[in-house]
Amino acid sequence: FGTLMLIPIMLVVMYFLVIRPQRNEEKKRKDMITSLTKGDSVVTSSGIHGKVVEIREAEQQVVLSVSPNTNITFTTSSILSKKDS
């Protein structure tokens, strides 16, 4: 009977240590992406730093200015974080 009780306890511990924090981090990231505005400095998952020039919500794309006269289009899911300016 003791081993049968161990399995549900392990599942509950795993939920609180692994699954729940991952969900919270993903929610924070989605909130950050939806709050992006023109002029925000961001970092992509590939390590590219740039400023938001345009947000195309229909295509789920963001256009970043990485240097003067150089703009790159990324999917919004590739935005990793917002930098403090």
Side-chain angles (χ1 to χ4, degrees):
F1 183 73
T3 36
L4 290 177
M5 289 302 296
L6 189 60
I7 293 172
I9 292 171
M10 287 174 44
L11 290 175
V12 168
V13 168
M14 196 162 124
Y15 173 78
F16 282 105
L17 291 178
V18 178
I19 298 169
R20 190 167 182 223
Q22 265 183 339
R23 284 186 182 172
N24 289 341
E25 286 297 316
E26 186 61 26
K27 185 178 183 299
K28 285 180 188 176
R29 195 168 128 340
K30 283 183 182 179
D31 291 343
M32 181 270 306
I33 288 173
T34 57
S35 71
L36 283 178
T37 58
K38 219 178 204 184
D40 285 343
S41 296
V42 296
V43 179
T44 66
S45 58
S46 58
I48 297 175
H49 297 245
K51 283 197 180 213
V52 176
V53 175
E54 180 184 353
I55 299 171
R56 301 175 186 161
E57 291 184 24
E59 298 93 14
Q60 295 185 339
Q61 295 177 338
V62 176
V63 179
L64 300 182
S65 173
V66 293
S67 69
N69 300 320
T70 305
N71 293 340
I72 303 175
T73 304
F74 290 93
T75 59
T76 54
S77 62
S78 67
I79 303 298
L80 190 62
S81 64
K82 190 189 293 189
K83 294 189 327 185
D84 294 328
S85 297

